Amino acid sequence: MLGSGRQIAVFAPLKTSTFAVLSDLPFQKNNLPMSDLRKTSVQELLCSTDLDREVLVKGWVRTRRGNKYVQFIAVNDGSGFNSIQVVANAEQFPEEKLKADGVENGAAVAVRGKLVASQGKGQTVEIQASEITVYGSADTTTYPLQKKGHSLEFLRDIAHLRPRTNTFGAVLRIRHAMAFAVHNYFNSKGFYYVHTPIVTGSDAEGAGQMFRVTTLPDQNPPLTEDKSAVDYKQDFFGKQTNLTVSGQLEAEVAAMALGKVYTFGPTFRAENSNTARHLAEFWMIEPEVAFNDLQDNMDLAEDFLKSLVRYALEHCQDDLQFLNEQYDKELLSRLQFVVDNDFQRLTYTEAVEILKVAKQKFEFPVDWGTDLQSEHERYLVEKHFKKPVILTDYPKDIKAFYMKLNDDDQTVRAMDVLFPGIGEIIGGSQREEDLTKLQARMAAMNVPEHELWWYLELRKYGTAPHAGFGLGFERLILFITGMSNIRDVIPFPRFPKSAEF
RNA sequence: GCUUCCUUAGCUCAGCCGGUUAGAGCAUCUGACUGUUAAUCAGAGGGUCCCUGGUUCGAGCCCAGGAGGGAGCGCCA
């Protein structure tokens, strides 16, 4: 499954600026001699068939090697996975001068030269340098990123530099592609993108501990008349407010007017979660569709996920290839498998029956009415079915108040999509649209009606069946990239005791 | 929050039963090398053994406390 244990990422480098030009051409500070030529991205140059022309490229040095006759400088500008090879003839660019001017691992440079067919193996085109400018060098004795593998744990400590590594470059480009693919998918299906609030006045969204938002002073805040509590009427919003843990309730508002909507935004949970699958700040995608039932919801979730995986396979080949080789040899085949095969759909009750007769010993017993443990979900996905699984119709007592009650009065129309290595990647349900039943569920679960009066009015005026789900964006990126820790698929991870960068 | 493992050179790690001057690979530095692919070859420099206290003739190693990190679990997406 997903790779475990030591893993490496591959390098790249910084030092304070020396500004040097390494040719005999006239040069003035703040007036680059190459300014008559437009820069071209490395990605574009590598794909170019228009050779023997003058080009200008700007990026960061990944490696420099060679001998006293010829020097090779790999330049990467982040436009794609691959670097372009710059060939510097020693007559014009002696090694000592390249070193003295800081053309080393990590330096930011501009290179002017001729784009030619490569004389060597390993690349089709290269640049014969005629001019090299160093914007900023990187002291080789202190720059943390070396021309070698680094552990992901080490790179987490230098999150400001890790985007320069092959691994994080690949992950961040894939992350972008997936964000684009999300909007692309929904737009093509007639969904509208709704911006739900980040600051919420409700603490009853039912998805965990919340971060408080306040402008009251932390020393001696105003108290209520009887001095028993902080007086939030004097706070910025006139009430206690928090960061959102879900956009779902507001998305339902929009779905009851626009039909098919989705949200895609930051989500905050103040749980003390220390796992490779949880973040305190993460991005969540929540489609909500009027007149959809649980079947429609499952169909949407499966089609959506397959479409995203397919997009990655088609558009992120270089980056995925690298991750496949470096971290997880089965990544590409697993992605293809997900696209090619139907997800296994079964009810919670059916799953419990399978688990009860399973030969595997579980640490925790399986019993109808209790929530499935990670080990149970993993068994179903990775051992029993060996494919993504959608579990439905959970006992009502272990699910949220807003899920639609089945006729058996025992289960609700919930669904969890379980992926190999990730566990729950999607959680969703058909929503309870019956006002009386919803009020009963809220009362039973101690959800205060007065805080959600507006949510209840959706059932009072023009209520309709509807369904939706939440997809954890970072969990999707985990699956697509084959990375094993969620802190490595977001540029600046937020988790307990950590908000450094 | 719980369980468990870990912390030794810039990085990744080894270090025997507690014993004299703590090692390796990579990186860095110096030199060699006519097209390299994380180039290669030779040599050199580089240590608060996480911190504090204790046991001992003697502690990187044993004990206690603290700090930081990983993995697993719970909460969930």
Side-chain angles (χ1 to χ4, degrees):
Chain A
M1 210 31 63
L2 295 186
S4 58
R6 294 279 167 223
Q7 296 183 321
I8 58 163
V10 186
F11 65 80
L14 208 141
K15 160 170 131 182
T16 49
S17 61
T18 61
F19 211 74
V21 63
L22 302 170
S23 77
D24 299 331
L25 294 174
F27 170 74
Q28 297 171 324
K29 273 194 176 176
N30 304 321
N31 182 17
L32 289 178
M34 340 182 173
S35 58
D36 55 316
L37 198 58
R38 292 288 180 100
K39 68 177 181 291
T40 312
S41 76
V42 169
Q43 182 75 354
E44 201 176 322
L45 290 175
L46 290 174
C47 299
S48 178
T49 51
D50 180 16
L51 301 182
D52 301 314
R53 62 184 165 115
E54 199 72 359
V55 297
L56 172 61
V57 69
K58 299 183 179 186
W60 291 269
V61 174
R62 285 294 178 85
T63 73
R64 182 182 58 74
R65 56 181 170 262
N67 49 53
K68 70 168 89 164
Y69 300 95
V70 60
Q71 290 280 314
F72 302 96
I73 306 159
V75 175
N76 187 291
D77 64 356
S79 57
F81 179 81
N82 295 112
S83 302
I84 193 159
Q85 172 158 285
V86 171
V87 182
N89 189 299
E91 281 178 28
Q92 190 182 355
F93 304 101
E95 185 172 13
E96 305 76 57
K97 181 138 179 64
L98 288 175
K99 280 185 183 177
D101 287 313
V103 182
E104 298 277 17
N105 191 11
V109 297
V111 176
R112 182 180 185 144
K114 189 185 280 187
L115 185 70
V116 297
S118 178
Q119 294 176 33
K121 290 169 185 169
Q123 58 281 318
T124 53
V125 299
E126 63 193 23
I127 296 174
Q128 285 286 347
S130 58
E131 195 175 342
I132 300 175
T133 304
V134 176
Y135 288 113
S137 58
D139 185 345
T140 53
T141 61
T142 60
Y143 185 58
L145 294 173
Q146 303 169 358
K147 291 195 291 184
K148 56 165 290 198
H150 288 107
S151 70
L152 294 170
E153 291 81 8
F154 172 67
L155 294 174
R156 252 171 246 156
D157 292 337
I158 50 167
H160 59 307
L161 298 174
R162 68 179 186 170
R164 304 180 187 196
T165 62
N166 284 335
T167 296
F168 284 89
V171 167
L172 292 178
R173 278 185 297 270
I174 289 171
R175 193 181 158 98
H176 157 81
M178 287 298 92
F180 177 80
V182 165
H183 289 298
N184 195 39
Y185 176 87
F186 285 127
N187 186 59
S188 72
K189 302 279 183 186
F191 283 65
Y192 295 107
Y193 178 29
V194 180
H195 295 103
T196 50
I198 309 292
V199 175
T200 174
S202 165
D203 65 356
E205 287 172 358
Q209 289 292 113
M210 303 178 97
F211 290 100
R212 188 172 304 159
V213 176
T214 182
T215 56
L216 294 178
D218 25 323
Q219 300 294 326
N220 304 315
L223 300 178
T224 51
E225 269 183 37
D226 61 2
K227 310 286 183 200
S228 66
V230 175
D231 183 12
Y232 287 103
K233 283 184 180 148
Q234 295 185 49
D235 203 349
F236 187 88
F237 294 106
K239 64 183 297 190
Q240 202 172 329
T241 50
N242 302 294
L243 292 178
T244 183
V245 293
S246 166
Q248 178 200 316
L249 304 188
E250 290 90 350
E252 288 187 48
V253 170
M256 288 296 106
L258 297 168
K260 294 191 280 188
V261 303
Y262 70 105
T263 73
F264 186 175
T267 309
F268 307 88
R269 296 191 184 169
E271 304 286 349
N272 190 15
S273 298
N274 292 290
T275 80
R277 301 181 310 282
H278 289 84
L279 290 166
E281 176 184 285
F282 64 101
W283 289 68
M284 189 154 62
I285 298 142
E286 295 175 287
E288 193 70 35
V289 184
F291 310 111
N292 263 15
D293 61 16
L294 188 61
Q295 286 299 322
D296 299 323
N297 208 29
M298 286 191 281
D299 291 344
L300 176 64
E302 182 166 345
D303 186 55
F304 178 48
L305 285 170
K306 284 179 173 173
S307 156
L308 294 176
V309 176
R310 200 177 299 118
Y311 188 93
L313 286 168
E314 285 170 10
H315 293 86
C316 307
Q317 290 171 12
D318 289 343
D319 292 321
L320 285 175
Q321 191 65 44
F322 170 79
L323 294 169
N324 191 76
E325 285 164 17
Q326 202 70 35
Y327 293 97
D328 181 352
K329 302 277 190 238
E330 275 130 42
L331 175 62
L332 287 170
S333 56
R334 189 163 61 247
L335 294 178
Q336 192 61 50
F337 181 86
V338 165
V339 170
D340 292 340
N341 291 277
D342 289 340
F343 295 4
Q344 184 71 41
R345 301 181 184 188
L346 71 160
T347 66
Y348 166 90
T349 303
E350 290 165 338
V352 166
E353 283 163 12
I354 290 171
L355 290 165
K356 280 196 163 176
V357 299
K359 286 176 187 168
Q360 177 154 332
K361 280 184 185 169
F362 296 115
E363 191 184 339
F364 296 92
V366 184
D367 252 319
W368 199 98
T370 64
D371 212 353
L372 299 181
Q373 303 286 316
S374 291
E375 58 176 342
H376 305 141
E377 296 179 347
R378 265 210 306 278
Y379 174 82
L380 290 171
V381 173
E382 295 164 17
K383 298 264 174 62
H384 190 81
F385 293 113
K386 293 186 166 61
K387 53 159 66 172
V389 168
I390 308 181
L391 285 180
T392 62
D393 302 289
Y394 285 73
K396 63 180 179 183
D397 292 337
I398 59 172
K399 288 292 181 183
F401 71 90
Y402 49 73
M403 296 187 179
K404 183 174 175 63
L405 196 61
N406 277 315
D407 294 338
D408 62 12
D409 206 35
Q410 296 300 313
T411 58
V412 289
R413 290 185 197 170
M415 68 168 201
D416 282 1
V417 181
L418 309 178
F419 261 33
I422 313 292
E424 184 179 346
I425 196 169
I426 278 180
S429 69
Q430 184 173 341
R431 319 306 188 187
E432 182 59 76
E433 84 274 19
D434 184 300
L435 178 61
T436 311
K437 287 181 181 173
L438 181 59
Q439 285 172 317
R441 290 299 298 147
M442 288 172 73
M445 300 178 86
N446 295 316
V447 179
E449 280 194 29
H450 67 270
E451 282 198 28
L452 294 174
W453 61 272
W454 52 273
Y455 186 71
L456 288 164
E457 285 206 353
L458 296 179
R459 278 73 179 169
K460 191 172 169 188
Y461 303 118
T463 192
H466 60 291
F469 58 81
L471 167 68
F473 187 58
E474 284 74 19
R475 290 192 180 172
L476 171 74
I477 305 303
L478 273 181
F479 182 74
I480 300 283
T481 59
M483 302 295 282
S484 47
N485 193 313
I486 202 163
R487 298 168 187 180
D488 298 328
V489 296
I490 187 168
F492 306 102
R494 297 285 178 265
F495 53 93
K497 302 280 183 293
S498 179
E500 179 70 16
F501 298 94

